[in-house]
Amino acid sequence: MDQQFEIQADTAITPEKNISGFFSRLHDKLKSAPIELVQTARLKIRNNNVLYAIPGHESWLPLLKLAASEFSSFITYGRTDMPLAVGVETVASCTRKCSYCPVSKQEFPETRPYRVMRDEIYNSIIDTLSEIPRRANQKGFNGVLHLNGYGEPTIDKKIVQRTEYARKKLPEATIGFYSNGDNLTEDLYLQLRNVGINEIIMTPHDGKFSSRLQDLGEKYFEDGILKLNPPLTKLSNRGGNINVAEALLQSPTNRCVHPSFTMEITVDGTTILCASDALIKTPLGNISKSGFHDVWDNKYYRQMRRALRHGKYDLLPEICRRCRIPN
């Protein structure tokens, strides 16, 4: 990387002080940097997890996650607090009812009856993302766009058209979704590939993949699109919505940084604080009605993200106070 990005870090000092100094020096370096060099730096951080190579990073992983996201946000958008990932739930239903997922709870269908996102809502969301300003007079969200929430995206009959529309409007974004693979046929895969999907991430909820999915993964391995995850070994209690053995969970984290760089949008366009909010206990506005900045930058949303980053759980809703993550 060019010398003007060689910012030295003294790992002997505290993480907070180290990261604060890092951004102070980084800001000065980037003021006059050409956009091509900035983009190169952004991709190096994003692809190689540079900040995670610091010795002893495990003890302050939340801070490193936050630093990495702030770095990427700053060199892309000129501010450190923009989302790098957006989840859009195009369908609120699933082919399964896994015991470790809120979809299995009775309250889920009662609170969120089967619905498919209306075209005008989806298009409005994508259009809004395409207008987000970036550095050097560029515009358009170029992070990760996942077309899923708690629904199974492959049962959305318009998933191909939605992917195609997102690719047209967001040419630099990484577009994909998580899936259980139940409805992913070879024909559907090829249609999605042809309209520009980047990744389809599948999880074997039965402990292993079917021979059909294994064959599909092997046949199109060179595409680099199909990603077959290992079986789940660690579980979250999803903000207290799911009962998980206490021995498998940690106490509340000192800091929670995920909502600071991820925006989650439900099937009706409502933005929620976190993907764990399956029952929509923290509605924060509707991006399809109010636009991106009116939602992301509203005072209440910003206050909650700040409280989570600093571990101020007394200022946060119950779903955050009850949340536990895997050991």
Side-chain angles (χ1 to χ4, degrees), residues 189-317:
Y189 168 73
L190 291 174
Q191 290 183 61
L192 289 164
R193 184 186 71 174
N194 290 341
V195 297
I197 201 165
N198 297 107
E199 57 186 15
I200 300 173
I201 307 167
M202 294 186 289
T203 303
H205 294 282
D206 296 324
K208 64 178 182 179
F209 288 108
S210 67
S211 57
R212 176 183 63 84
L213 289 176
Q214 291 182 43
D215 292 344
L216 191 64
E218 291 175 5
K219 184 174 181 178
Y220 295 102
F221 176 78
E222 294 298 328
D223 291 349
I225 295 173
L226 287 172
K227 301 176 181 179
L228 279 60
N229 275 347
L232 294 171
T233 57
K234 295 183 177 182
L235 302 174
S236 162
N237 71 354
R238 298 291 184 179
N241 286 316
I242 292 295
N243 293 322
V244 179
E246 191 67 27
L248 300 177
L249 300 170
Q250 293 180 356
S251 57
T253 55
N254 290 331
R255 304 169 188 265
C256 180
V257 301
H258 187 74
S260 289
F261 54 87
T262 303
M263 178 181 247
E264 300 288 348
I265 305 171
T266 65
V267 74
D268 66 354
T270 299
T271 298
I272 52 177
L273 180 62
C274 170
S276 291
D277 188 10
L279 302 180
I280 314 182
K281 299 291 183 65
T282 60
L284 296 164
N286 192 304
I287 187 174
S288 69
K289 298 177 181 178
S290 304
F292 172 81
H293 286 291
D294 283 352
V295 174
W296 182 257
D297 289 329
N298 81 58
K299 184 178 180 181
Y300 181 54
Y301 200 171
R302 292 172 68 91
Q303 285 176 339
M304 284 204 290
R305 297 199 302 267
R306 186 179 302 112
L308 282 165
R309 291 196 300 271
H310 292 281
K312 304 292 186 181
Y313 285 88
D314 57 318
L315 304 177
L316 291 162

Side-chain angles (χ1 to χ4, degrees), residues 6-63:
E6 291 181 0
I7 301 173
Q8 300 299 317
D10 180 2
T11 57
I13 60 179
T14 64
E16 290 88 346
K17 185 176 180 181
N18 186 27
I19 291 171
S20 176
F22 173 83
F23 278 110
S24 176
R25 296 190 299 276
L26 176 64
H27 185 273
D28 293 337
K29 298 284 185 181
L30 289 175
K31 280 182 179 178
S32 58
I35 188 62
E36 295 81 6
L37 192 60
V38 170
Q39 181 69 356
T40 298
R42 172 181 175 271
L43 292 176
K44 283 183 177 293
I45 288 289
R46 179 171 169 181
N47 295 334
N48 298 330
N49 292 319
V50 174
L51 292 176
Y52 292 75
I54 299 175
H57 75 272
E58 296 87 354
S59 62
W60 26 293
L61 188 57
L63 277 171

Side-chain angles (χ1 to χ4, degrees), residues 77-180:
Y77 301 105
R79 50 183 282 191
T80 61
D81 59 345
M82 290 288 282
L84 305 178
V86 176
V88 180
E89 182 183 56
T90 69
V91 61
S93 184
C94 189
T95 57
R96 299 190 178 212
K97 290 188 177 181
C98 301
S99 61
Y100 44 81
C101 176
V103 173
S104 66
K105 293 177 68 69
Q106 180 179 351
E107 298 93 323
F108 188 87
E110 293 176 351
T111 305
R112 310 182 65 190
Y114 176 85
R115 285 176 294 172
V116 176
M117 181 174 278
R118 299 201 309 270
D119 290 347
E120 58 267 30
I121 293 177
Y122 179 80
N123 292 346
S124 175
I125 292 169
I126 300 302
D127 291 347
T128 295
L129 294 176
S130 73
E131 294 298 322
I132 294 177
R134 296 182 358 222
R135 293 183 77 247
N137 296 318
Q138 296 186 344
K139 66 179 182 178
F141 176 75
N142 66 349
V144 175
L145 175 69
H146 277 161
L147 304 180
N148 64 270
Y150 279 102
E152 168 52 44
T154 58
I155 66 175
D156 179 359
K157 295 180 180 179
K158 294 186 176 181
I159 191 63
V160 175
Q161 294 95 312
R162 297 190 200 278
T163 303
E164 184 175 24
Y165 189 78
R167 174 54 64 214
K168 177 183 177 181
K169 290 286 188 173
L170 306 170
E172 298 178 57
T174 299
I175 303 172
F177 56 73
Y178 285 84
S179 171
N180 57 37

